[in-house]
Amino acid sequence: MAKKQTGRSMVAQNKKARHDYNIHDTFEAGMVLTGTEVKSLRQGRASLVDAFATIDDGEVWLRQAHIPEYSHGTWTNHTARRTRKLLLHRREIDRLERKLSDAGSTLVPLAIYFNDGYAKVEIALASGKREYDKRQTLRRRDADREAERALADRQRR
């Protein structure tokens, strides 16, 4: 018998999303995958660089996420950038639809991971940052880092 995997193991992260967007709310969604997609994810191969999510006819879809073909797959292999259905509760989908009606809001995938053996994707309701917001965030991070360094230096003395 195979031992069931427990805990959370990260497969892919979209680090640029936190830089390019203001994250308002996050959701954990299951993914409808084929067998070769799961095997490819278990090898730690995926990319969320150009990925986004949409709501069509009351269903949430992950688009442009790149899960490469499984190396040992045969003719049953999947397409790398196919559209994948995300599994959320109806009330969560309704809440997302209401919030997406606001101008400038979008659904951005933040991470793909395995949670207790099940493939999950973390999606976020986000709005785009302007260029000066990005610079301001970098400036704030540098100032916080400098303050931490000064505090640590002072405690060492």
Side-chain angles (χ1 to χ4, degrees):
M1 292 294 298
K3 187 177 168 185
K4 187 169 180 176
Q5 185 181 5
T6 58
R8 184 173 171 168
S9 63
M10 190 64 62
V11 175
Q13 277 188 311
N14 189 356
K15 293 180 182 177
K16 198 149 175 76
R18 294 194 188 275
H19 179 262
D20 292 340
Y21 297 96
N22 288 319
I23 308 297
H24 301 298
D25 206 359
T26 60
F27 297 88
E28 180 181 68
M31 292 192 295
V32 177
L33 300 172
T34 63
T36 55
E37 287 175 320
V38 175
K39 290 180 180 188
S40 187
L41 285 176
R42 288 207 188 280
Q43 289 181 338
R45 301 173 62 209
S47 175
L48 293 172
V49 173
D50 296 327
F52 62 98
T54 59
I55 299 178
D56 301 324
D57 299 326
E59 295 179 333
V60 184
W61 298 90
L62 181 64
R63 300 182 187 280
Q64 296 297 315
H66 187 265
I67 300 175
E69 290 184 353
Y70 181 55
S71 57
H72 301 300
T74 58
W75 58 273
T76 59
N77 235 338
H78 63 278
T79 309
R81 287 202 183 265
R82 77 175 186 90
T83 302
R84 296 165 180 91
K85 186 175 180 177
L86 299 182
L87 305 171
L88 288 163
H89 292 284
R90 171 61 43 204
R91 66 181 180 279
E92 290 177 324
I93 295 172
D94 292 340
R95 194 166 111 203
L96 279 173
E97 273 188 306
R98 280 194 305 274
K99 290 187 176 186
L100 280 176
S101 63
D102 299 341
S105 294
T106 187
L107 281 176
V108 179
L110 298 178
I112 295 177
Y113 54 91
F114 283 99
N115 192 5
D116 295 332
Y118 295 102
K120 303 284 186 177
V121 63
E122 183 179 20
I123 58 174
L125 187 65
S127 58
K129 282 186 183 177
R130 302 216 189 283
E131 200 61 39
Y132 61 83
D133 289 334
K134 294 177 190 178
R135 285 193 299 268
Q136 190 176 23
T137 303
L138 289 174
R139 217 175 288 124
R140 188 178 322 115
R141 191 181 324 143
D142 287 342
D144 290 345
R145 222 181 262 150
E146 191 64 36
E148 286 289 325
R149 276 193 204 118
L151 188 63
D153 191 40
R154 187 174 187 153
Q155 287 177 348
R156 270 185 255 156
R157 291 183 184 168

